[in-house]
Structure formats: structure tokens, C-alpha cells
Amino acid sequence: AMVCHAGQECLEGRKAYRRPDGGVQLFRRDKTGGRMAATHERLGIPPIPVEDLVEAVKTLVSVDKDWVPSAPDTSLYIRPCTIATEPHLGVKASGNYLFFIICSPSGAYYESGLDPVKIYVEDELTRAAPGGMGGVKCGGNYAASLYGQMKAQDLGYSQVLWLDGAERKYVEEVGAMNCFFIVDGKVLTAPTAPGTVLPGITRMSCMALLRDWGYVVQEEPILLDDLLAAAQSGRLPEVLGPGTAAVVSPVGTLRCKATPTPVG
Ligand SMILES: *Cc1c(COP(=O)(O)O)cnc(C)c1O
């Protein structure tokens, strides 16, 4: 299958939650299809009608609704996926694809549950460059991040915070979640515009909620040095990682150039 050679593969990650009244709620069902459609386009995969994708997810969840758990912090994780299946070795877009959805009951993403996570700021390797694929959800982005993730884990950190691919001066996002920094009472997050940060649906929902609650939320390039200075002078009370899998994970420590910097 061509997916094994040219790597045409993409995915989504959504969740369905058990409501207190026993019903099942899909988180941001309205946003499920649009991003996967954009990912298909970037990877040269034929378009998938957004309505079909949403309908497929709804149908699977309704068939498997008994698998949606009800304990606190649990959900049914839903993973739509497309892979190139033409049997061919050359470098070209595949002629055939398989679209499938898998789902599984899931608990908290990090072993530590909602305890603050420790994050390693990677200043050598990068995962995305302007014009590349960082803005879409595909396995290739994870492949680019795994070695950094292993380095971080060896040092006792659970995730990597990636810097921009051009200058390694600006913070972008964490492996599978976006990143919010609260500095001087404002919520800062990296812009998705150059295509190096995934437009997270949890990110978008949190930005809307925060603005509703009266917070100033700014999408702007964030200099790592400014963040470290803010942390050192006590002006970085919180760092948060929003993502479907991670929910909203608090960050307790940022390790940069061998120095752990506590948040808060
Ligand atoms: C999936 C993912 C996120 C989070 O996006 P959500 O839509 O909120 O789940 C953030 N960054 C990367 C690289 C991701 O793959």
C-alpha cells in the first residue's frame, strides 16, 4: 500500500461524552469534517464530503453507544483515518484510499491525569515549517516529533514544546495539543496563520470561552525568551495545553536549555 512508502495518511481525533442524563454528546460535531477535508487537500487525497464524514461518525457512535463510558474524565475516543492503498512504489498520489473510523473508550490522556505536566522545550529538532504540513492533522507530523518526544521522556518530561522551524525563537505548540500562556493577565497563543500550528478545535473553543469570560486572548508570535523572562519574574502564572485527547492539561514545568523553569 502506498501509505507505507509515500506516507499519504491523515487522521482526526474526536470524543463522545456520556451526558448526566444518559445521552451521548459529540464534542464539536460541527467541526469534525472541515479540518479533515483541509488535510485531504494538503496531502493530495481526493476530497471527502464533510456531511458524509459527520454522518459516518454519528452513525458509528450511535451503533457503539453502549461503549461510551460514564465514569468521570472518560469518553469514547473516535479516530477517523484515511490511508493510501494503491499497491505501488513510485512517488505519486495514490489511486485508491481507505477511509475508516476506529473508536475506543478512553480515560485521561496523561498518566498523571490532570496533574501539571512537565514539558521539554526542543531547541534543535523542529516539527513544522511555513508551507509544510504542520497545519494539518497527519501522521507525518507525529513521525517528525517522535524522536524529540523520546529525548524528552528519557529526561522525565512527558511532552515537547516545539519552536518555530525557521529561527527556533518562537513557541508554537505541543505534540498533540496547542498551548496557552497566561502573561500579565492576557492569554497568549501562537497564530495558526503560517501553517505551522494545528488549528485545534479545543483551542478554538477555549478561545471563545475565555473571551466570553472577559479575558483578553491574543494570537501572536510568542518569543520563548519573553516567556522565560515572564516565568522568572512571576508573570507566568499558568500554561495550558488544550486538545481533544489532552482536554485542557495544566503545565507545571518548562525545561529549556537544560534548565527547568517552574510555571506559576
Ligand atoms: C490534534 C492536535 C491538536 C489538538 O487539536 P484538537 O482539535 O483540539 O484536538 C493540537 N496539535 C496537534 C499537532 C494535533 O495533532
Side-chain angles (χ1 to χ4, degrees):
M2 287 191 74
V3 62
C4 303
H5 305 279
Q8 264 183 312
E9 180 274 353
C10 67
L11 64 148
E12 268 303 323
R14 313 295 334 132
K15 274 181 175 174
Y17 289 90
R18 181 70 66 188
R19 286 197 310 252
D21 69 2
V24 170
Q25 189 87 37
L26 267 167
F27 176 63
R28 301 309 302 259
R29 187 182 75 194
D30 54 329
K31 303 290 173 200
T32 306
R35 187 172 64 190
M36 193 158 187
T39 305
H40 270 216
E41 184 178 349
R42 178 64 184 84
L43 293 182
I45 301 175
I48 179 164
V50 171
E51 320 75 70
D52 289 3
L53 208 153
V54 173
E55 203 49 43
V57 169
K58 270 170 64 179
T59 305
L60 180 68
V61 171
S62 98
V63 168
D64 276 339
K65 59 181 179 307
D66 292 348
W67 287 101
V68 182
S70 52
D73 298 333
T74 62
S75 57
L76 184 75
Y77 185 75
I78 305 157
R79 165 60 58 87
C81 206
T82 304
I83 57 172
T85 51
E86 184 183 339
H88 186 77
L89 285 180
V91 180
K92 66 169 189 101
S94 174
N96 308 91
Y97 298 87
L98 178 68
F99 168 77
F100 57 94
I101 309 175
I102 55 181
C103 60
S104 165
S106 74
Y109 185 65
Y110 296 109
E111 278 169 22
S112 56
L114 276 189
D115 289 342
V117 292
K118 291 171 71 183
I119 289 201
Y120 179 89
V121 183
E122 174 58 68
D123 58 6
E124 285 174 14
L125 309 171
T126 60
R127 73 173 273 284
M133 302 199 303
V136 299
K137 207 164 175 81
C138 64
N141 288 330
Y142 295 131
S145 72
L146 293 178
Y147 179 54
Q149 178 77 23
M150 287 157 69
K151 280 184 14 189
Q153 270 160 2
D154 283 349
L155 292 163
Y157 290 77
S158 60
Q159 288 280 312
V160 172
L161 175 61
W162 297 98
L163 303 179
D164 72 285
E167 297 180 273
R168 299 188 191 90
K169 275 181 161 168
Y170 297 93
V171 296
E172 294 206 318
E173 64 169 318
V174 180
M177 59 192 200
N178 294 109
C179 219
F180 290 170
F181 303 89
I182 303 188
V183 180
D184 295 331
K186 287 183 200 149
V187 184
L188 311 181
T189 192
T192 58
T196 53
V197 171
L198 192 84
I201 292 164
T202 319
R203 171 187 185 273
M204 184 188 67
S205 300
C206 289
M207 285 168 63
L209 282 174
L210 286 161
R211 283 179 175 143
D212 267 10
W213 294 338
Y215 284 88
V216 176
V217 182
Q218 287 177 355
E219 282 183 90
E220 57 180 34
I222 306 164
L223 275 169
L224 174 65
D225 284 349
D226 288 354
L227 278 184
L228 296 176
Q232 270 138 25
S233 57
R235 291 178 300 116
L236 183 68
E238 281 192 83
V239 177
L240 305 166
T244 299
V247 196
V248 179
S249 293
V251 175
T253 309
L254 296 171
R255 178 193 195 267
C256 186
K257 303 204 195 314
T259 314
T261 305
V263 171

